[in-house]
Each structure stands twice: as C-alpha cells, then as structure tokens.
Amino acid sequence: MSPSLRYEDRGASADKKEVHAAIQGEDPGLFPGAFCKVLPDSLTGSPDHCVLIHADGAGTKSVAAYLWWKETGDASVFRGLAQDSLVMNLDDLLCVGATGPFLLSNTIGRNAKLIPGQVIAEIVAGYRDCIDMLGQYGIEIRSGGGETADLGDAVRTLVVDSTLVTRMERKKVVTAEKLRPGLVLVGFSSSGKTVYESKENSGIGSNGLTSARHELLSSHYRERYPEAFAPEIAALAYTGPFRLKDMLPGSKMTVGEALLSPTRTYAPLLVKAFAEAGDSIAAVFHNTGGGLTKCLRFGKGLTYVKDNLLDAPPLFQTLRERSQLGLRELYRSLNMGQRLEIACETGVADHLISIAQKLGIAAKITGRIESGPPANHLVIKVEGQTLEYSLDSF
C-alpha cells in the first residue's frame, strides 16, 4: 500500500476534493477569494456590514480523549475538546479579520452507552474555561447553548462540534485580494507555551489526528477498544509503537499528552496584528485541513515558496521517524508545528514577529510569494528535499 495514501485509506482527506466539487455551484459570498465565506448583513440590512457563520469541531481527537479516559479514569481530558472545537472555528474566522463579538452554539453527538453525563459536563465546563480565557484578551464570545444528541447507531464514541457567528464591517474584511508576488510569509509556531496557556503545547491542533493517532498508538488499542476505530480500516488501525503513557521522544510530555494538547488559539496575536498592521496584511492562513498546502487555494497565478520553516516539534519529528508517513504526506495533512501563516509586506514582518514573541509564540519569515503558473504552485524545502504541490493536482 502506498504511504502517500494512508490518510485517505483511513477514511480521511487532506484536500477534500469531493467536498470542493460538491459546493462548486454554491454562492461564493461577497468576497469569493476570502478564507471564509462572507455573507450580506441580512440581520439588519446594512450595506456596510457583513455576517459570517462557521462550523467545525474537534474531529477524531475525541477518540484519543476517549482512550485516555478509559485508560486513566480522568474525565477532565474532555475539557480540551471544547477548546479544540471552539478554536477551529474562531481562528478560521480571524483569518478574514473578524474579531468579534461572537455567538457560539455547540453540538455534542455521543454514543450514550459509552459516554456518560460526566463527560458532557466536562465538555461544557471546557467551553466556559476557554471563553473566560479569551475574554481576558478582549475576545468576546457569548454562548447560546447547544444540543447533545444520543446517536448510538451513528457515532461510535463522541463528536464535539461548534458553530460561531459574527458581524463585522465590510471594509475590514481580509479578502486575500492583495496577494501578489513580492510578499513574504511569516510563520507562527503552534508549539511551546504562550503567556495565555497553562502548560506546554505539542502543536498538534485538531487536524491530522486520524493519522497521528493510528501511526503512533499501538495495537493494544485496536485489541482492547474496538469502538475506537472503524472496522473498515482494521488493517491500518493503531499500527504504532506507543502507549498513551509512554514518554514522547525529545519531549517532557507523554504521547497521550502530546496528542491531546488543546488547540492553540492565535486570537490574542491576530487581534493585535490587525489593529497595528492590518493594511499591510494580505492574507492569513490557518493551516488545518491541507496542512502546509492550505495556501494553494488563495490568490491566483502564484508560487508559494517555503524554504525557511520553523523546526518541527517533537511530536511531528516522532511521526517522521516512527511512522510510515512520508514527508509529502506529512506536510499536506499536518501543520508540522506551524499552524498559522501571514502573507504581508516585507516591512511589517518584523513587527508581527515582535507581537508574537511578546505573547510567547515563536515566529519568523518562513517563505515568500513569487509569480507562478495559472494554477497556484507550492514549493516546500525541508530536510534537503524539495516538495512540490500544485492546485490543479488537488
């Protein structure tokens, strides 16, 4: 079996070709090239404002949390899933310049035979914790409640999803129309410890967990917890060398702690960046689905060159060394420790880096934008290799 297909063979997709094909006929919104769909303000009818609504979730990270809970009895692990779910929405919306206030609704789908009320209570508490932390940095989120659905016939363990809604001035939308050759790319680390995090973050976020979980965790979990994987992928389920409590090589974290690090939000950084350098920011890329190839879908006729990436944190190094995932698949399915990028004027890059460093976020110029073919092109230089991706191959 080709290593380049392991992510898809497990029932996931980095490029989501079928999804993009299915929505081709949909209204692209006010700014078709923007990171998120932007809608007219039908709430008030204001021609100067727009509305954004975004839905996402913690993905299969919930399965890793389930395994940790079953092995340790520690239900507090589920609090992190609330942050994962919320941040996956919030940071996407921040990519178009939306800074709130935001309205939140969450949806929890569970197999009630396996997931008790105690787990639901921890998730709800996790939303409160995350909202309170963000409020300290001026990001206002109001919860409108949500829905918990018992879906034992459809959900093997647990699904944690959220929806965020906000309204903003149209003139403040980051449309990505300024993307052009000559801009630089500033990359921001997803690992380490920021001033607003209580402990070190592995950088994993909430994408690529299907690969990370099955490539790192051992057959112990396949044999003991058949509910923690789909039977259709049994041959590719839990093929790694580690247990959750094993130490992650090169780190002070266990493998389980690294897989379950709550998704870092870049909201404190981006709110300040927009306020102080907004006119010089052409685009913001939240490198979740699609990993470091996310940029390919934005702008036209561009070649993105990433030849000075941040060093991959221990979790990603371990995936590189101990899994069957090749470099090409790693960089298209995982953020590799660099979950945020800003395309900007050269003159503002140092200021953005300074803002990040004051918050405890490592950052540097990691690449640039050059002219390219009609279908956007990406060149990643890493480990002495050159990886090339093209939009027309996605």
Side-chain angles (χ1 to χ4, degrees):
M1 184 174 295
S2 170
S4 66
L5 296 177
R6 287 176 75 84
Y7 196 51
E8 280 78 3
D9 288 337
R10 289 187 172 114
S13 173
D15 51 47
K16 300 182 181 178
K17 287 182 181 178
E18 293 179 340
V19 176
H20 289 288
I23 64 175
Q24 275 187 342
E26 292 294 300
D27 175 8
L30 294 173
F31 304 104
F35 195 89
C36 297
K37 186 173 181 177
V38 183
L39 302 171
D41 179 12
S42 57
L43 299 176
T44 71
S46 170
D48 299 322
H49 291 79
C50 54
V51 172
L52 299 99
I53 182 168
H54 195 285
D56 207 337
T60 62
K61 200 169 186 177
S62 60
V63 183
Y66 173 80
L67 292 175
W68 180 275
W69 172 58
K70 294 295 286 186
E71 295 270 291
T72 68
D74 179 13
S76 68
V77 68
F78 292 102
R79 291 193 178 214
L81 295 181
Q83 178 166 323
D84 296 322
S85 182
L86 195 160
V87 170
M88 291 293 281
N89 287 288
L90 175 63
D91 284 31
D92 269 12
L93 289 173
L94 282 158
C95 288
V96 297
T99 57
F102 300 93
L103 298 177
L104 166 70
S105 178
N106 69 277
T107 303
I108 301 169
R110 67 168 178 168
N111 184 326
K113 293 286 188 180
L114 299 175
I115 305 297
Q118 176 193 18
V119 170
I120 305 302
E122 292 289 350
I123 294 170
V124 172
Y127 279 111
R128 287 198 302 268
D129 291 346
C130 189
I131 290 170
D132 289 345
M133 180 273 290
L134 288 165
Q136 295 174 29
Y137 290 86
I139 297 100
E140 181 183 351
I141 300 175
R142 295 291 184 91
S143 175
E147 167 71 5
T148 297
D150 293 339
L151 304 170
D153 280 349
V155 176
R156 300 185 65 81
T157 54
L158 179 71
V159 175
V160 182
D161 291 334
S162 302
T163 301
L164 277 185
V165 178
T166 193
R167 178 176 179 267
M168 66 182 293
E169 292 181 85
R170 293 190 190 191
K171 67 181 181 181
K172 293 183 178 180
V173 174
V174 178
T175 65
E177 293 172 354
K178 293 180 180 179
L179 282 169
R180 59 169 178 80
L183 299 178
V184 295
L185 299 171
V186 180
F188 300 87
S189 177
S190 54
S191 68
K193 183 179 179 297
T194 67
V195 298
Y196 50 88
E197 290 172 316
S198 60
K199 57 185 176 181
E200 185 178 358
N201 200 309
S202 72
I204 187 66
S206 293
N207 73 289
L209 265 294
T210 298
S211 279
R213 178 167 47 92
H214 287 301
E215 291 290 333
L216 291 179
L217 298 183
S218 75
S219 59
H220 162 79
Y221 300 98
R222 180 177 68 243
E223 295 160 1
R224 188 165 182 181
Y225 304 104
E227 70 272 24
F229 67 95
E232 295 82 4
I233 67 157
L236 288 171
Y238 301 106
T239 60
F242 299 106
R243 296 275 192 102
L244 289 166
K245 285 289 190 175
D246 290 342
M247 295 305 298
L248 178 69
S251 171
K252 295 180 181 179
M253 298 183 192
T254 65
V255 171
E257 288 169 338
L259 288 173
L260 289 163
S261 281
T263 304
R264 168 176 295 171
T265 179
Y266 294 97
L269 162 67
L270 287 172
V271 167
K272 195 168 181 62
F274 290 135
E276 298 181 6
D279 290 342
S280 298
I281 294 174
V284 183
F285 306 127
H286 188 205
N287 296 327
T288 53
L292 270 293
T293 70
K294 190 82 167 187
C295 58
L296 279 171
R297 297 197 175 277
F298 303 95
K300 295 180 180 179
L302 305 175
T303 292
Y304 293 91
V305 179
K306 303 182 183 183
D307 55 3
N308 188 39
L309 293 174
L310 293 159
D311 292 337
L315 179 60
F316 301 98
Q317 292 177 4
T318 301
L319 277 165
R320 169 66 172 144
E321 296 165 1
R322 304 290 185 93
S323 78
Q324 297 184 53
L325 299 174
L327 268 183
R328 184 174 180 81
E329 182 167 12
L330 282 168
Y331 279 85
R332 66 182 278 271
S333 61
L334 292 159
N335 72 71
M336 298 304 290
Q338 184 174 298
R339 217 185 74 243
L340 188 80
E341 293 171 313
I342 294 180
C344 64
E345 302 287 347
T346 304
V348 80
D350 285 345
H351 184 55
L352 295 177
I353 293 168
S354 176
I355 293 172
Q357 290 174 340
K358 289 175 182 177
L359 290 167
I361 301 171
K364 66 177 182 176
I365 295 176
T366 53
R368 61 194 178 275
I369 301 178
E370 300 177 351
S371 60
N376 286 348
H377 194 68
L378 167 64
V379 177
I380 295 176
K381 295 185 178 182
V382 63
E383 292 187 22
Q385 297 188 41
T386 298
L387 310 174
E388 297 194 41
Y389 306 84
S390 180
L391 183 59
D392 59 12
S393 67
F394 272 66

